[in-house]
Amino acid sequence: MRVPEGPQVNASTHQDAGQPHHPQERLSTLTLGAIGVVFGDIGTSPLYALKESFIGPHPLAVDRAHIFGVLSLIFWTMMLVVTIKYVFVILRADNKGEGGSLALLALIMRKLGENRLTPVIVTLGVLATALFYGDAIITPAISVLSAVEGLTVVHDGMAPLVLPITIVILVGLFAIQSRGTAAVGKLFGPVILVYFAVLAMLGIMGIAAAPEILWALNPVYAVDFFLIDPKLAFLALGSVVLAVTGAEALYADMGHFGRRAIMISWLYAAFPCLMLNYLGQSALLLRDPAAVANPFYLMAPEAFRLPLVILATAATIIASQAVISAAFSVTHQAVQLGFLPRLRITHTSEKAAGQIYVPLVNWALLALVVLLAVSFGSSGDLAAAYGIAVTGTMLITTGMLAVLVFAVWKWPRPLAAMVIGVFLLVDGLYFASNITKIPDGGWFPLLVATVAFTVLTTWRTGRRLVLERLHEGAVPIELFIQSAAHSLERVSGTAVFLASRPDDIPPALLHNVKHNRVLHERVLVLTVVTEQVPHIVTVARSTVEELGEGFYRVIIRHGFMEDVDIPATLASLEGCGGPFKPMDTSYFLARQTLIASSRPGMALWREKLFAWMVRNAESAMEFFKLPTNRVVELGSQLEI
């Protein structure tokens, strides 16, 4: 069993160097890409959001008051949550251009360092990440199901084919992940752009038939809805929020497209087209309440419904692809920041570093997505499970934003309190409404989030315990050099020993001396440190300190969005007594069997879980791209 050596996470503020990590493309290209990737999820919400508000778990009368009330809620929710909160405020919270819950966590930790708020902030960031995994499982299932269900509008006899077609699409989507999406990814923007244009045209046609629907944009109608029936209005929030599922993608995908491209694509393309479509659906319901069965497809003339099903299905596949890619990216960040064990991660593009494939995550998602689609059977039933993870993540993001505006940005307290207060009120109401859906399916994303949270926190705590156990009685490196340099035989070549702490002797070095009784002419004690920034500039990546007697302390720093290639880094290293020759360099790794014990630290079952994760983690040899024929593993036992 391999002890979880490096990379270590550094929360200090001294390493502040970063670099742009999306290519310097034209703004128009980035904007088109953002439309295709960022807004795929929220763009497919019209397929089910309005419908579920009326015929979901808490049905509403399809009359003028409720139609105006629901539509007003949708519009102002998109204004407050997406436009104001995410576009105008949260997109400013970039970590060297990167966004998302873990990037926000790293930003706050880097700016504030270790303090009394650290445990709370870390818990919030991990919890948001755990909820994301619950959302990532539901999104592909409900999106593809809702699109394919349009076949039942085309012909009633096609209902039995909906689930099989959905499963075939989902299996095919996950099966091609290992090949990468660089080629088909170029089509995402144009396809979603056409899809948004169709949404807008259908909406305009509906509005033209009942222009009075435009009055529903007045917030008075949302207030009247609560005055008419406070209980039903509150419960309706659980379905209304489906209109903004995918809003987190605006922040999470900022590193790929940049803040400006996302703002432009939302304000001038996605938002207007979505609202026109919701207005058109609502206008249809005013004229024909029976159309509530599927207002999205029934808006279209009968001859165009099958092409609309095909276009909507393509859009939901793209939305699902965006979520899958985000799951890979979040997992990569979690590994680099020390929340998950080393996993096999494959780069699917030589040009785009961000395009990765994580086999374990891919097949686990496929199994759970298919299980979910089969178990629930329809988008209507799945909608009951959807929302609680999204609103939970939004609420947590607001909590982390509060720390940022008060402690890091240092906004005037009255302004910060007012802004955060409004966000907390809105997010809190939506989250509370979705709690009522737990018995109907909301338990599923919470179960997934609980498992993910347990895994993330167990790995982080277990790593800390291992480092503490290794540090107990550790020999300072300077003392070791004084006592061992002249008493042991020196052999030719270079030995590289991976160390969790740069000031301690690595266990592999002690085992090598104990069993082999030799030292190489040149010895490197190498520590890999993950900084709280996504990327590190080349000049700040490595530091070398000569310790005497052929010993060198080397620290390699990298960002949490980067991979580490130790041999390549050493090849460019200077100040280590000459160049490194691949065939004269050996890498020594510690392979320690972890034994769960009753010592204070974690519950015994968590210690066993941690030991299992260590046993099944990808080896440091593969993770750090070490040559297999130059690696030596030395083992021992360690109680945790």
Side-chain angles (χ1 to χ4, degrees):
M1 183 183 300
R2 298 172 182 84
V3 68
E5 301 162 341
Q8 293 300 301
V9 179
N10 189 355
S12 64
T13 58
H14 75 278
Q15 182 57 265
D16 204 35
Q19 64 182 15
H21 46 283
H22 54 78
Q24 298 302 308
E25 301 176 65
R26 293 173 55 189
L27 182 61
S28 58
T29 304
L30 290 171
T31 302
L32 182 61
I35 291 173
V37 175
V38 178
F39 300 107
D41 189 0
I42 197 170
T44 55
S45 295
L47 286 163
Y48 48 80
L50 190 69
K51 177 182 73 173
E52 291 304 319
S53 296
F54 284 96
I55 61 174
H58 308 288
L60 298 174
V62 188
D63 56 25
R64 181 186 177 88
H66 289 95
I67 293 171
F68 274 51
V70 168
L71 183 59
S72 184
L73 281 174
I74 289 175
F75 174 72
W76 287 103
T77 299
M78 295 177 81
M79 280 294 294
L80 287 172
V81 174
V82 185
T83 306
I84 297 176
K85 176 183 170 182
Y86 278 95
V87 173
F88 290 140
V89 180
I90 291 183
L91 285 186
R92 296 181 64 245
D94 68 293
N95 189 343
K96 300 297 181 183
E98 196 65 37
S101 299
L102 288 178
L104 179 58
L105 169 63
L107 170 66
I108 295 173
M109 295 291 291
R110 178 164 56 89
K111 294 294 186 180
L112 297 183
E114 294 285 336
N115 58 45
R116 58 187 178 83
L117 290 176
T118 298
V120 176
I121 297 169
V122 170
T123 300
L124 288 175
V126 174
L127 189 55
T129 303
L131 286 168
F132 163 78
Y133 284 111
D135 181 37
I137 294 169
I138 299 177
T139 296
I142 191 173
S143 297
V144 177
L145 257 177
S146 60
V148 178
E149 283 172 349
L151 292 173
T152 62
V153 178
V154 177
H155 193 285
D156 291 338
M158 302 185 78
L161 297 177
V162 170
L163 190 57
I165 291 174
T166 297
I167 293 174
V168 169
I169 291 173
L170 291 171
V171 171
L173 177 62
F174 282 94
I176 65 170
Q177 293 303 310
S178 61
R179 301 181 183 180
T181 57
V184 296
K186 296 176 182 178
L187 300 175
F188 286 4
V191 170
I192 295 295
L193 194 60
V194 170
Y195 171 73
F196 275 133
V198 171
L199 290 187
M201 287 189 292
L202 290 174
I204 291 171
M205 290 167 55
I207 295 169
E212 66 270 22
I213 195 64
L214 293 171
W215 288 107
L217 301 182
N218 190 329
V220 169
Y221 290 102
V223 175
D224 285 345
F225 184 18
F226 275 88
L227 294 176
I228 294 170
D229 196 333
K231 181 180 178 181
L232 269 181
F234 170 74
L235 295 174
L237 293 178
S239 297
V240 169
V241 78
L242 297 178
V244 295
T245 55
E248 275 286 326
L250 276 74
Y251 184 44
D253 289 324
M254 182 165 55
H256 296 288
F257 304 102
R259 177 188 176 199
R260 192 177 175 196
I262 291 176
M263 288 181 67
I264 290 173
S265 54
W266 170 254
L267 294 174
Y268 298 103
F271 186 28
C273 293
L274 287 171
M275 275 316 305
L276 284 171
N277 193 264
Y278 284 121
L279 284 162
Q281 289 189 49
S282 301
L284 174 63
L285 296 185
L286 280 179
R287 293 182 289 112
D288 181 12
V292 74
N294 205 322
F296 177 83
Y297 285 112
L298 292 174
M299 266 197 307
E302 189 170 350
F304 291 97
R305 286 174 188 168
L306 183 57
L308 182 59
V309 170
I310 296 171
L311 178 62
T313 302
T316 58
I317 291 173
I318 292 171
S320 301
Q321 175 61 60
V323 171
I324 295 168
S325 298
F328 294 160
S329 180
V330 168
T331 301
H332 183 240
Q333 290 184 37
V335 169
Q336 299 291 39
L337 288 170
F339 290 103
L340 282 176
R342 293 184 298 264
L343 298 174
R344 181 166 165 254
I345 297 174
T346 304
H347 289 267
T348 58
S349 172
E350 295 181 359
K351 296 180 180 179
Q355 291 194 14
I356 58 176
Y357 169 64
V358 187
L360 177 63
V361 174
N362 185 69
W363 299 119
L365 280 178
L366 172 60
L368 291 171
V369 167
V370 171
L371 175 65
L372 204 61
V374 172
S375 300
F376 284 83
S378 70
S379 62
D381 291 337
L382 259 177
Y386 207 23
I388 193 164
V390 176
T391 54
T393 302
M394 289 179 177
L395 185 60
I396 291 169
T397 301
T398 299
M400 297 174 72
L401 180 65
V403 177
L404 197 66
V405 299
F406 279 104
V408 178
W409 291 346
K410 299 187 183 301
W411 282 10
R413 288 190 172 274
L415 175 63
M418 181 183 69
V419 172
I420 296 300
V422 171
F423 291 163
L424 284 175
L425 176 63
V426 173
D427 292 340
L429 282 172
Y430 277 114
F431 182 69
S433 179
N434 273 276
I435 288 177
T436 65
K437 294 157 66 173
I438 290 178
D440 299 314
W443 56 269
F444 180 82
L446 291 182
L447 176 62
V448 172
T450 300
V451 173
F453 184 81
T454 302
V455 169
L456 292 164
T457 54
T458 296
W459 181 257
R460 182 176 175 85
T461 305
R463 274 176 49 84
R464 177 179 57 79
L465 291 175
V466 166
L467 293 178
E468 289 175 357
R469 302 292 187 258
L470 291 174
H471 189 62
E472 294 172 359
V475 180
I477 191 168
E478 291 80 5
L479 180 60
F480 175 85
I481 293 172
Q482 293 174 10
S483 62
H486 299 290
S487 61
L488 296 171
E489 180 184 352
R490 305 298 288 261
V491 297
S492 61
T494 300
V496 179
F497 295 90
L498 267 64
S500 298
R501 298 174 186 263
D503 297 326
D504 294 342
I505 289 294
L509 178 52
L510 292 175
H511 297 326
N512 181 56
V513 169
K514 178 180 178 181
H515 296 291
N516 300 324
R517 307 297 299 171
V518 295
L519 283 174
H520 286 69
E521 286 179 341
R522 179 166 56 173
V523 177
L524 266 66
V525 177
L526 175 65
T527 302
V528 179
V529 177
T530 302
E531 297 288 353
Q532 302 282 16
V533 292
H535 297 265
I536 301 292
V537 291
T538 303
V539 293
R541 188 172 295 280
S542 306
T543 58
V544 178
E545 180 184 355
E546 185 175 359
L547 303 174
E549 305 296 343
F551 280 76
Y552 296 87
R553 178 189 287 128
V554 178
I555 299 176
I556 298 176
R557 294 182 171 86
H558 69 108
F560 59 78
M561 293 296 291
E562 298 176 312
D563 293 323
V564 182
D565 187 332
I566 288 179
T569 304
L570 293 181
S572 62
L573 209 58
E574 297 180 354
C576 276
F580 290 86
K581 299 178 180 179
M583 296 309 297
D584 289 339
T585 303
S586 299
Y587 301 87
F588 290 80
L589 307 177
R591 187 182 69 246
Q592 293 180 308
T593 302
L594 302 182
I595 302 173
S597 71
S598 57
R599 295 182 64 180
M602 290 192 297
L604 189 61
W605 68 268
R606 292 186 71 193
E607 291 181 354
K608 291 181 178 179
L609 173 62
F610 176 71
W612 178 83
M613 286 193 286
V614 171
R615 196 162 54 244
N616 290 277
E618 184 183 42
S619 70
M621 177 175 63
E622 296 170 333
F623 191 78
F624 293 125
K625 300 175 176 60
L626 304 179
T628 55
N629 61 336
R630 304 301 302 170
V631 172
V632 179
E633 291 187 312
L634 301 169
S636 65
Q637 292 186 339
L638 178 70
E639 282 192 356
I640 56 173

